Amino acid sequence: MSANPEKPKVAFYWCASCGGCEESVVDLAEDILMVLDKVDIVFWPVAMDFKKADVVAMPDKSILATLVNGAIRTSEQEEMVQLLRRKSQVLIAYGACSHLGGIPALTNEFSREEVLQYVYHDAPSVVNKEGTRPQPVTEDEGRNPTLPEFRNVVRSLDQVVDVDYYLPGCAPTPKLLKEALLVLLSGELPPKGTVLAPDIALCDECPRKDSKPTDVSFTEFKRPHLHRIDPELCLLAQGFICMGPATRGGCEALCINGNMPCTGCFGPTSRVKDQGAKMLSSVSSNMAAKEENEIDRVLDGIPDPVGTFYRYGLSKCLLRRKVTAGE
Amino acid sequence: MSDQWEPKIVAFFCNWCTYTAADLAGVSRMKYAANVRIIRVMCSGRIDPQFVMEAFAKGADGVLIGGCHPGDCHYIEGNYKALRRVRLLNRLLKSMGIEQERFRLEWISASEGEKVQRVVNEMVDQIKKLGPLGLPQQFKEWDSEVLEEEEEVKADVS
């Protein structure tokens, strides 16, 4: 990649995430050639050989835009995003983990100790007879190799640094990425804090919209792996929890077209503060039951409310993490 | 402020029954613990779960919801809506580590001033036993680890 001073510079970075977001950049397919034609990629550890020192050496604000995917769990991730923030004019939270905490944020239901205990000792696939755990600093023949610190809380990007824009989704679609890059290159930037996707609920673009009853009136909640799903009918009308009403559109109803309920990866619209609470509200308002026992029986169909309503957004829950989990 | 910690309870009372009952308790000069901050809403069915969670997040140690008895709702079924939301929200709060005693729903009719008194006093006692929830302080503590890192990075770069 030649350093062409004419071309704006773009960087990508990966924190706590699965790699799907990086994959979605590659999914631009031949459009990636358009991107490479217009910008210089100056940092992209997953695909190109650059080091932290290269970033440190760049002048402040010399990168037009950095797209960060993944939640923030370790001190290394904090350090890198703070560094990239300093070097970039625009910082974009790319994907659900960066935007809302994502799947990694579900560990906010457990203490750090519980997580480490499971991962290094109790998980069925673990063989660790000496019971070792990674240490931030170790002593090895006179040298002191260090590892990043594992934090107590999983955070979204904007809980660690200032964020300019958000590209939602698990992962964002190539279409949204392309549109976002075109907006950035046009120089006509939307107001800071904008989520670069339509600001209306997913139901609006759902192909089953017409079959959604005005009064859903749940008498039971079904779990998708235990029932056959009718591929035509509104999922809520069938008793499956579909996060569509509490989730921003823009994904073109990908999961619904695959005959699976929406799990909420695009996060809430701008009018909603807490996506999970809003969905919880909607679902319970629309239950038919009136007696406590009957209500509880129907609610047993949602065995894990946190995982259901905050699958991608626990970092952005008003409570942020399990309160009494301690260390 | 005295050194003694006092619980803060945010109470959402419906206009037609529970708020009127609290008013009645007042004009009847019934005394109850001063730990409760009452917010009047038109109906218990108006109470969004976001209100409850935000109250906790902003420093409430307990949240109390008061509505009309089943069958008495001014809007016919608003209180049933509140009941269903509370039952589900209870499950969520439990998973998030918030003790069940901190969140309570009571049906209190306009004539039950003494029930307002009893419920508030009971809840204050229970929460005193549990101690402060203190979410704003918790948030600060959780975030201190990030602030340390930020200082280090600043020092490194400059």
Side-chain angles (χ1 to χ4, degrees):
Chain A
M1 215 56 54
S2 65
N4 183 341
E6 300 299 311
K7 283 196 206 173
K9 297 178 170 64
V10 169
F12 296 97
Y13 195 65
W14 172 349
C15 295
S17 65
C18 65
C21 283
E22 303 282 354
E23 181 61 41
S24 73
V25 177
V26 180
D27 281 348
L28 280 170
E30 58 270 21
D31 282 336
I32 203 164
L33 297 174
M34 173 281 282
V35 173
L36 292 177
D37 200 35
K38 296 202 167 126
V39 301
D40 256 346
I41 296 177
V42 292
F43 187 57
W44 191 11
V46 78
M48 299 154 81
D49 187 17
F50 288 103
K51 304 288 185 233
K52 181 185 153 193
D54 299 318
V55 183
V56 174
M58 292 176 196
D60 286 1
K61 305 282 171 217
S62 61
I63 303 171
L64 169 67
T66 295
L67 289 86
V68 174
N69 71 76
I72 314 295
R73 176 97 221 196
T74 68
S75 58
E76 180 190 36
Q77 291 156 356
E78 286 161 18
E79 187 186 346
M80 284 307 294
V81 298
Q82 277 157 5
L83 184 60
L84 287 163
R85 171 70 274 184
R86 200 183 168 100
K87 303 294 175 186
S88 318
Q89 293 162 38
V90 172
L91 187 71
I92 301 178
Y94 185 79
C97 298
S98 190
H99 177 202
L100 310 160
I103 299 281
L106 285 169
T107 43
N108 281 355
E109 270 199 275
F110 306 93
S111 68
R112 177 169 76 166
E113 176 55 33
E114 284 171 307
V115 174
L116 293 173
Q117 178 65 31
Y118 185 78
V119 172
Y120 290 99
H121 310 277
D122 300 344
S125 55
V126 167
V127 180
N128 181 7
K129 284 194 187 112
E130 287 102 39
T132 52
R133 275 194 193 177
Q135 299 301 319
V137 185
T138 39
E139 160 72 47
D140 177 48
E141 294 171 9
R143 292 165 303 176
N144 291 100
T146 58
L147 282 174
E149 296 255 11
F150 187 74
R151 299 303 198 198
N152 289 309
V153 186
V154 172
R155 296 180 170 86
S156 62
L157 185 61
D158 63 3
Q159 288 171 340
V160 178
V161 289
D162 201 29
V163 170
D164 297 293
Y165 304 112
Y166 303 85
L167 255 171
C170 180
T173 62
K175 187 180 162 211
L176 285 180
L177 171 58
K178 193 179 155 190
E179 281 169 12
L181 287 171
L182 289 175
V183 166
L184 275 175
L185 292 170
S186 76
E188 286 171 32
L189 299 177
K192 192 178 169 189
T194 301
V195 179
L196 303 170
D199 196 11
I200 190 146
L202 176 66
C203 294
D204 188 61
E205 60 190 39
C206 179
R208 308 181 190 198
K209 186 179 171 188
D210 292 340
S211 63
K212 187 179 177 189
T214 5
D215 182 9
V216 183
S217 202
F218 298 107
T219 50
E220 63 173 329
F221 292 114
K222 293 179 189 157
R223 305 181 68 193
H225 60 294
L226 299 175
H227 295 268
R228 190 176 292 271
I229 303 175
D230 182 322
E232 306 284 330
L233 194 61
C234 169
L235 288 139
L236 286 163
Q238 299 180 55
F240 298 100
I241 302 243
C242 177
M243 292 280 284
T247 302
R248 185 186 285 267
C251 63
E252 294 163 81
L254 280 173
C255 296
I256 307 224
N257 283 315
N259 205 25
M260 281 302 282
C262 168
T263 47
C265 70
F266 267 54
T269 62
S270 64
R271 275 90 58 204
V272 172
K273 208 166 204 174
D274 189 303
Q275 183 189 18
K278 207 68 202 169
M279 191 64 200
L280 179 152
S281 177
S282 156
V283 155
S284 44
S285 304
N286 287 317
M287 284 165 61
K290 288 186 182 179
E291 298 302 321
E292 284 187 18
N293 292 340
E294 180 59 10
I295 294 170
D296 287 343
R297 189 193 63 76
V298 178
L299 289 179
D300 286 343
I302 311 174
D304 174 15
V306 177
T308 306
F309 301 122
Y310 293 99
R311 182 160 309 170
Y312 301 93
L314 196 51
S315 288
K316 298 297 257 183
C317 168
L318 283 162
L319 306 173
R320 293 187 51 190
R321 68 162 290 185
K322 186 164 181 173
V323 181
T324 47
E327 270 286 291
Chain B
M1 285 289 283
S2 66
D3 292 343
Q4 177 89 38
W5 166 76
E6 284 287 334
K8 282 194 204 86
I9 297 175
V10 174
F12 296 98
F13 285 171
C14 93
N15 176 60
W16 303 100
C17 292
T18 315
Y19 190 84
T20 315
D23 214 17
L24 176 67
V27 295
S28 316
R29 302 197 171 215
M30 290 174 196
K31 284 191 179 165
Y32 57 85
N35 306 64
V36 60
R37 279 82 167 154
I38 299 173
I39 296 172
R40 175 160 66 158
V41 290
M42 289 309 284
C43 177
S44 54
R46 171 67 183 93
I47 299 156
D48 189 314
Q50 290 181 113
F51 300 174
V52 177
M53 289 166 74
E54 185 149 16
F56 283 124
K58 293 245 165 98
D61 301 294
V63 176
L64 171 64
I65 293 178
C68 306
H69 284 272
D72 286 352
C73 175
H74 188 80
Y75 306 100
I76 318 295
E77 296 213 337
N79 51 358
Y80 287 110
K81 202 186 224 184
L83 173 64
R84 294 193 290 259
R85 282 179 180 159
V86 166
R87 300 304 285 191
L88 185 49
L89 192 51
N90 255 325
R91 292 174 182 224
L92 183 87
L93 293 177
K94 194 175 171 193
S95 313
M96 295 299 283
I98 293 186
E99 298 92 345
Q100 303 285 281
E101 293 87 344
R102 296 189 189 273
F103 180 44
R104 184 160 168 175
L105 168 71
E106 285 291 342
W107 308 135
I108 304 174
S109 81
S111 61
E112 293 177 311
E114 80 291 341
K115 192 167 176 187
V116 172
Q117 182 187 38
R118 175 171 64 77
V119 166
V120 168
N121 286 342
E122 260 176 35
M123 208 169 160
V124 170
D125 282 349
Q126 281 173 332
I127 293 175
K128 273 187 178 163
K129 276 180 205 139
L130 290 174
L133 180 63
L135 274 185
Q137 293 89 308
Q138 287 256 31
F139 292 160
K140 249 188 218 157
E141 202 176 296
W142 295 341
D143 284 340
S144 60
E145 52 184 15
V146 178
L147 291 176
E148 278 166 31
E149 186 64 40
E150 203 174 336
E151 291 309 314
E152 274 176 39
V153 173
K154 267 187 201 152
D156 274 2
V157 179
S158 49

